[in-house]
Amino acid sequence: MPELPELEVVREVLTRRLAGRQVVAVTVAPKGGPIVVRDLTGGGFVECITGTEIQSIARRGKFLLFTLSPSSLTLAVNPKLTGRFQLCPPGTKKAGPVHVTLHFRQPEEELRYVDQKTMGQMYLTGDLAGVPTFAEMGPDALEISPEDFRQRLRSFRGEIKGILIRAPFVAGIGNAYADEILWQARIHPYRKRTSLTPEEIACLFEAMRTALQEATAKVREDMGDDVHLKPREFFAVHMRGGQPCPGCGTTISAITANQRVTNFCRTCQPGGLIRGM
Ligand SMILES: [Zn+2]
């Protein structure tokens, strides 16, 4: 579930709390740990991280990148749908099944990787190009220019929502924020990309920036330093099926396809005749 806004705030918090600190020990839980951990260095996940310092934490799309010092290795974490971090003193109640723990001292703290469905991945590598899907990622959704957005969009076909959540187009957007962005842009999620006018594409770009920036500010406010939380109270349409649209009061639609729910407002986002909406 974490998308760009959540990961951006997690990056800020972890940078403030962990940058410059030494990882004194690493624990990989016997059950889920080996599924989550991928050592691309051949030197051993635990061995290579223990004793190193967290030099910096960056975000690229839906990856968090921990640079370790002095090894310059990167711990690249892709939490996918269900992964989260928990930063807390030892003994704190677990936010879910803990697969990997990095231990810190002064103060004694743990950075836990928690993943309900063991879907996410933690890669240790000296070369990010070797991390699956990393090299194929398009520009970050907060960094792409309007011109680049328009140009890149041309090479993707199909329904606009499906394109927005494809990392090779822009990185950082998933199912939830795609719904929010399209609602803000007043574009039906099942519109074909080829049917969008230049004005609608410009509007979509603006909506993407605004929705992601506003959401980041709200997540920052609601999450604080509790990086394991999933603040979602502020959504306009996503997971709001059956409730009134905050824009016009029409009941928000919920369509499930490919195990993914899509929420939108038929009044604010007209069109999409192909699926009989
Ligand atoms: Zn509406």
Side-chain angles (χ1 to χ4, degrees):
M1 196 84 116
E3 300 181 24
L4 187 153
E6 291 82 20
L7 287 174
E8 189 54 29
V9 176
V10 171
R11 182 195 64 77
E12 292 170 4
V13 172
L14 297 187
T15 297
R16 180 159 37 78
R17 301 269 305 266
L18 297 179
R21 294 179 69 185
Q22 190 191 35
V23 182
V24 295
V26 179
T27 315
V28 176
K31 198 169 161 230
I35 302 168
V36 165
V37 163
R38 293 279 183 276
D39 171 30
L40 308 182
T41 68
F45 188 85
V46 171
E47 293 78 357
C48 286
I49 299 177
T50 304
T52 60
E53 194 179 273
I54 309 272
Q55 190 182 308
S56 59
I57 304 165
R59 182 191 58 76
R60 173 91 172 79
K62 290 190 253 178
F63 280 85
L64 277 187
L65 309 169
F66 297 74
T67 303
L68 307 175
S69 171
S71 67
S72 293
L73 291 174
T74 302
L75 178 63
V77 184
N78 181 5
K80 303 261 181 77
L81 286 179
T82 53
R84 301 185 261 167
F85 284 105
Q86 182 181 19
L87 179 62
C88 56
T92 306
K93 188 173 182 289
K94 293 170 184 167
V98 177
H99 302 306
V100 177
T101 308
L102 307 188
H103 304 264
F104 298 87
R105 273 195 209 121
Q106 297 174 327
E108 272 204 42
E109 281 182 310
E110 297 179 354
L111 178 65
R112 300 168 176 172
Y113 177 75
V114 178
D115 197 334
Q116 204 63 248
K117 292 190 175 163
T118 328
M119 288 174 86
Q121 229 84 75
M122 299 179 95
Y123 300 93
L124 182 67
T125 183
D127 176 17
L128 283 168
V131 172
T133 75
F134 194 87
E136 296 95 74
M137 250 192 298
D140 196 82
L142 281 186
E143 281 169 15
I144 189 170
S145 69
E147 180 56 23
D148 197 14
F149 182 85
R150 197 176 59 78
Q151 288 284 353
R152 295 181 66 84
L153 194 54
R154 284 189 189 160
S155 45
F156 291 86
R157 297 204 160 262
E159 291 158 354
I160 189 61
K161 179 174 176 184
I163 296 173
L164 272 183
I165 62 179
R166 286 175 67 179
F169 171 50
V170 287
I173 302 171
N175 195 43
Y177 288 102
D179 282 354
E180 295 295 295
I181 290 165
L182 288 163
W183 177 77
Q184 205 161 111
R186 304 180 72 89
I187 295 172
H188 193 289
Y190 297 145
R191 286 273 304 280
K192 293 283 186 200
R193 189 273 293 167
T194 45
S195 79
L196 298 179
T197 65
E199 291 73 26
E200 285 174 321
I201 292 170
C203 182
L204 180 61
F205 176 82
E206 282 309 318
M208 176 183 77
R209 303 274 305 212
T210 312
L212 294 175
Q213 281 166 351
E214 287 178 359
T216 305
K218 285 172 187 149
V219 170
R220 195 180 285 127
E221 203 170 288
D222 293 357
M223 186 152 76
D225 275 14
D226 296 322
V227 291
H228 58 282
L229 298 180
K230 290 182 279 188
R232 299 254 133 156
E233 297 301 315
F234 53 83
F235 282 152
V237 288
H238 187 68
M239 301 308 286
R240 297 274 181 270
Q243 298 175 30
C245 164
C248 73
T250 302
T251 302
I252 295 166
S253 300
I255 308 283
T256 304
N258 305 323
Q259 296 173 318
R260 241 189 210 121
V261 65
T262 289
N263 296 113
F264 62 100
C265 170
R266 288 160 200 267
T267 306
C268 296
Q269 300 162 268
L273 294 169
I274 285 150
R275 291 200 185 177
M277 316 282 125

